[in-house]
Amino acid sequence: MLRVSELVNEDASLVSRRCWSDPGVYELEKRGVFGRSWLFLGHESQIRNPGDFVQAYMCETPVILARGEGGRVHASVNSCTHRGLPVCRADHGNTRRFVCPYHNWSYTVEGDLVTIPQESEVRNKPDKSRLGLKRVPRVESWRGLIFGCFDEAVEPLEQYLGDMRFYLDALLDRFPGGIEFMGAPHRWVLDANWKLPVENQLGDVNHGAFLHSAIIPREAQDTIEELGHSVVTRPGHGATFRLMPGDAPVDEVAWGLEGMGGIFGGAEVQDYLRDIQARARERVGDLRARMKGLTYGIYPNLSFLWSNTSFKVSHPRGPGKVEYWSWAVVPAEAPDPIKQILRTNYSSFFGPGGMLEQEDSEAWVQQFRGSNIDFADDRPYFYGLGLGEEGPHPELPGLVSVTANEFYARHFFARWRDDLQAVEGLS
Amino acid sequence: MSGQSLKVKPRQQRALERFYFHEARLLDNRQYQQWLELVDEDIRYIMPSRTNLMVDNRERGKEQMISVERELEGSESMGCPLREEGYVHLMVRVERAFKINAWSENPPARTRRIVGNIELMNRDGNQMQLLSNFHLYYARPGGGNFIYSGQRRDTLLLVAHDFRIRRREVIMDYANIDVPTLGLIL
Ligand code: FES
Ligand SMILES: [Fe+2]
């Protein structure tokens, strides 16, 4: 049995191939990471009305996220208490009851068991109040982002997010009505480990000029190197962005204008985006109005892309399989035709049909293969670029460095190692 | 488009098949620049995403209850189609294919597609609405083998005795997307 201490070295500059491929490590991840962290479940815009629900996952555990009759948000494990079938088979919808197909036990959207059809034929009546769906014990939301946690004792969500809120607000609070998720997520199943998509969008903007050089012009990468900052607010949480000069023209700073929808969507969309930028300073302050984000990551498996506005969740399906979800995200107050154009900022380049992500997904699949070979365990992966070169910044919360510094990934793996060690040997 | 197709003369059907078979051959031969010449510059290329919905009790017994249409998040919807592209997108995709650093297709995937069930559904001046189905075999070196299955809903323009693709909507038959990319020209 592998020891966690052998997987990631002290300063996390060396990461074992087995972190990505070992079934035992994956079992530790389930308990140490996914069992104890806040996991993203959905956005309030997806479940506006009582009875609205969407499907979610917490690692491999299927979850129903629903708005209850009283308006509160509930998260229940989507598995019948009778024989374990999923009681909900739709991606999203609105309902009063979830009816299990096997013997028709039925549950409220809050997860309470209300009917056992066979009950009338037996003398001893089961206590239905104890047979509801398993509840996710902690559910909290911040700025419409809903998270759940299986660990009752977890710190409050806002504390968990910490200074990431500062960076998230650079976008979320730019829009008076916040953001909205459009439609059902695109669910892409890949033969890859869940952590590489996460790492990719936690701070790895350096592969852009190389892996994506068929699409991304070198000049775009030069701007990133010149104006780019990489930030870790707490191990596992990070952001990369360009900090534009105070006198940069609005068209170079404004969110949305550098995507395909912004570029080709016409004057109405462009004016709309300029107008948002014109009010950004009063909404989020001078510093954040100048921020032009790249990637964001929230431990363990939520990512957000700024220019190609998308939220993404990397759901593990074993060490070598991932179900990668992504949603287009738009300002909630935008008129419908503008939302329809802005969603192509996401879909043109990202998602299963996107021009850029077809290269990333192939890299992730090939990395898993490389992590699952024999006779190379004395060649762990090198994570040492820029070791120790990060530091505090006068204005930006967290540790800050250039984007080529891989400290975002070292911090991720240091936290990951600690999380696994916390459950290692227990069981 | 649930009604019967138009009655067409064999010669006309043959002309449509000739166009589609030629297109399929260009794509499988990776002659994408030639393919782009079959495309009208105002093309819309759409791939709706496909969702799993609850059965609506009120629709019980009606065709609508289990129709394909209700599963689609297309360009008119407020969901998110997988692709909504114009000529520029397709041009970039074609250019990419001929760069040495289009890594996921280097070496290129091997494809073979069968296009069939070609039906002319409507005709209005020089515009024609067509349906066709495809099965595509896709083998990516160092990857795996995959089957793509779907329907195409096209608008073709009749231009000087030839056809141009003015609109294409690709309805993919997936439950989960378990292929390496949906960025192919289908
Ligand atoms: S398994 Fe759900 S009712 Fe029997
Ligand atoms: Fe990438």
Side-chain angles (χ1 to χ4, degrees):
Chain A
M1 183 69 189
L2 283 161
R3 305 286 312 163
V4 175
S5 56
E6 296 162 26
L7 295 172
V8 178
N9 73 344
E10 183 56 32
D11 60 14
S13 62
L14 294 173
V15 173
S16 161
R17 291 167 194 259
R18 299 296 144 206
C19 295
W20 310 88
S21 55
D22 185 81
V25 169
Y26 179 60
E27 290 307 313
L28 287 179
E29 282 181 331
K30 282 187 183 173
R31 288 185 286 128
V33 176
F34 290 95
R36 307 188 321 149
S37 303
W38 281 106
L39 304 176
F40 181 71
L41 297 178
H43 188 260
E44 307 244 3
S45 61
Q46 298 174 286
I47 47 167
R48 290 187 205 280
N49 304 308
D52 282 357
F53 68 89
V54 289
Q55 295 247 16
Y57 276 94
M58 296 172 76
C59 196
E60 294 194 59
T61 303
V63 166
I64 304 168
L65 181 68
R67 174 101 38 202
E69 294 304 327
R72 273 194 45 215
V73 171
H74 300 264
S76 330
V77 174
N78 185 10
S79 176
C80 182
T81 316
H82 187 219
R83 294 290 185 277
L85 274 72
V87 298
C88 170
R89 293 155 71 88
D91 295 337
H92 56 86
N94 181 283
T95 192
R96 285 192 63 238
R97 295 280 184 269
F98 295 113
V99 181
C100 180
Y102 207 177
H103 314 89
N104 279 18
W105 288 26
S106 71
Y107 301 84
T108 65
V109 286
E110 291 86 356
D112 296 324
L113 176 62
V114 279
T115 330
I116 300 178
Q118 303 78 12
E119 183 179 37
S120 57
E121 296 164 44
V122 296
R123 274 195 301 278
N124 277 323
K125 309 292 177 198
D127 178 1
K128 290 203 282 289
S129 71
R130 300 163 60 99
L131 296 172
L133 300 177
K134 152 95 183 175
R135 300 296 176 94
V136 177
R138 293 283 298 277
V139 178
E140 290 175 19
S141 79
W142 177 78
R143 291 268 191 278
L145 304 171
I146 307 166
F147 293 74
C149 185
F150 280 121
D151 179 2
E152 215 138 352
V154 69
E155 67 192 303
L157 175 65
E158 292 210 19
Q159 194 178 319
Y160 180 90
L161 295 173
D163 282 335
M164 269 314 281
R165 291 173 301 167
F166 174 86
Y167 295 101
L168 282 165
D169 263 344
L171 189 89
L172 303 183
D173 212 19
R174 232 176 181 88
F175 315 118
I179 54 162
E180 177 181 308
F181 279 42
M182 293 190 84
H186 297 156
R187 302 156 64 143
W188 196 5
V189 181
L190 295 164
D191 292 332
N193 182 272
W194 68 273
K195 294 189 289 302
L196 200 58
V198 168
E199 179 192 301
N200 182 284
Q201 279 151 33
L202 181 60
D204 185 0
V205 292
N206 302 289
H207 71 280
F210 308 103
L211 185 73
H212 299 302
S213 56
I215 304 274
I216 296 182
R218 181 68 227 184
E219 307 85 69
Q221 191 69 19
D222 290 343
T223 327
I224 290 175
E225 278 165 29
E226 186 191 331
L227 303 167
H229 290 70
S230 184
V231 166
V232 171
T233 60
R234 172 183 183 176
H237 297 340
T240 60
F241 50 87
R242 291 149 290 182
L243 207 47
M244 305 304 284
D247 57 357
V250 62
D251 281 23
E252 276 176 33
V253 190
W255 170 82
L257 273 176
E258 64 178 332
M260 291 294 262
I263 295 168
F264 297 106
E268 201 190 335
V269 161
Q270 291 162 353
D271 288 341
Y272 180 82
L273 296 172
R274 289 184 190 114
D275 192 53
I276 289 174
Q277 185 58 27
R279 286 178 292 156
R281 199 166 153 184
E282 83 195 46
R283 292 199 57 86
V284 297
D286 175 61
L287 181 68
R288 289 186 289 182
R290 291 191 285 122
M291 263 183 206
K292 196 174 172 186
L294 294 160
T295 62
Y296 277 51
I298 292 164
Y299 191 81
N301 64 340
L302 173 64
S303 310
F304 165 65
L305 290 171
W306 179 287
S307 315
N308 305 103
T309 26
S310 172
F311 269 77
K312 293 166 157 287
V313 185
S314 186
H315 292 299
R317 294 290 178 266
K321 208 179 255 308
V322 61
E323 193 171 310
Y324 197 40
W325 288 24
S326 43
W327 293 266
V329 165
V330 292
E333 289 193 339
D336 284 357
I338 288 185
K339 286 178 183 165
Q340 288 172 322
I341 291 172
L342 287 176
R343 69 190 173 195
T344 66
N345 278 358
Y346 151 68
S347 61
S348 300
F349 285 130
F350 284 84
M355 285 190 253
L356 285 184
E357 213 160 30
Q358 62 185 324
E359 248 83 66
D360 295 292
S361 54
E362 173 67 1
W364 304 335
V365 168
Q366 296 302 335
Q367 186 266 7
F368 174 71
R369 295 189 165 205
S371 304
N372 204 27
I373 56 177
D374 301 315
F375 307 114
D377 284 335
D378 58 346
R379 286 293 179 281
Y381 297 145
F382 181 72
Y383 275 69
L385 286 178
L387 186 65
E389 294 172 25
E390 59 277 11
H393 185 278
E395 294 177 287
L396 299 166
L399 291 171
V400 183
S401 192
V402 296
T403 55
N405 186 340
E406 294 181 327
F407 71 124
Y408 65 91
R410 286 191 293 277
H411 278 92
F412 176 95
F413 274 102
R415 179 170 182 177
W416 178 90
R417 176 193 61 207
D418 295 348
D419 278 356
L420 265 59
Q421 267 171 336
V423 294
E424 188 178 31
L426 317 169
S427 61
Chain B
M1 289 202 206
S2 58
Q4 288 209 42
S5 61
L6 300 184
K7 286 186 177 159
V8 293
K9 297 212 169 68
R11 226 187 50 186
Q12 196 180 4
Q13 181 73 14
R14 182 67 202 112
L16 290 165
E17 285 178 2
R18 184 167 172 266
F19 174 77
Y20 278 123
F21 296 169
H22 174 58
E23 185 198 13
R25 178 157 45 83
L26 288 179
L27 291 171
D28 288 337
N29 285 349
R30 308 172 191 144
Q31 294 164 302
Y32 304 118
Q33 289 139 330
Q34 289 192 55
W35 175 81
L36 206 53
E37 290 169 19
L38 307 182
V39 168
D40 184 78
E41 295 209 358
D42 292 322
I43 188 177
R44 295 291 294 150
Y45 189 103
I46 316 284
M47 185 183 288
S49 75
R50 207 149 179 178
T51 62
N52 306 307
L53 300 179
M54 295 187 97
V55 169
D56 182 346
N57 258 329
R58 287 161 305 189
E59 305 278 359
R60 226 178 328 187
K62 301 183 198 146
E63 275 187 4
Q64 164 62 17
M65 183 185 94
I66 52 168
S67 76
V68 171
E69 276 358 90
R70 67 191 287 274
E71 298 170 1
L72 305 179
E73 289 186 356
S75 55
E76 304 302 317
S77 78
M78 292 311 291
C80 189
L82 289 150
R83 289 172 66 180
E84 292 178 277
E85 306 188 345
Y87 193 79
V88 186
H89 292 79
L90 297 171
M91 209 174 64
V92 176
R93 288 186 187 280
V94 168
E95 283 173 8
R96 171 185 165 277
F98 295 96
K99 292 183 177 171
I100 54 167
N101 41 24
W103 298 116
S104 62
E105 311 272 347
N106 179 12
R110 287 95 216 229
T111 67
R112 193 66 61 198
R113 71 201 73 202
I114 305 296
V115 176
N117 300 50
I118 299 164
E119 294 186 284
L120 178 62
M121 300 309 292
N122 201 3
R123 185 174 178 155
D124 186 6
N126 69 339
Q127 295 206 9
M128 285 171 290
Q129 261 82 49
L130 285 115
L131 296 177
S132 58
N133 294 344
F134 65 90
H135 270 196
L136 168 88
Y137 178 77
Y138 180 93
R140 178 180 281 192
N145 309 325
F146 304 88
I147 297 285
Y148 290 66
S149 164
Q151 180 191 52
R152 303 190 302 193
R153 302 171 177 179
D154 287 355
T155 301
L156 297 188
L157 290 181
L158 191 56
V159 183
H161 300 292
D162 206 353
F163 304 110
R164 292 283 173 277
I165 307 164
R166 175 68 178 72
R167 182 186 164 87
R168 172 163 291 170
E169 196 177 6
V170 184
I171 313 299
M172 294 300 300
D173 302 324
Y174 65 81
N176 277 337
I177 302 164
D178 52 7
V179 291
T181 176
L182 288 176
L184 307 177
I185 299 168
L186 294 166

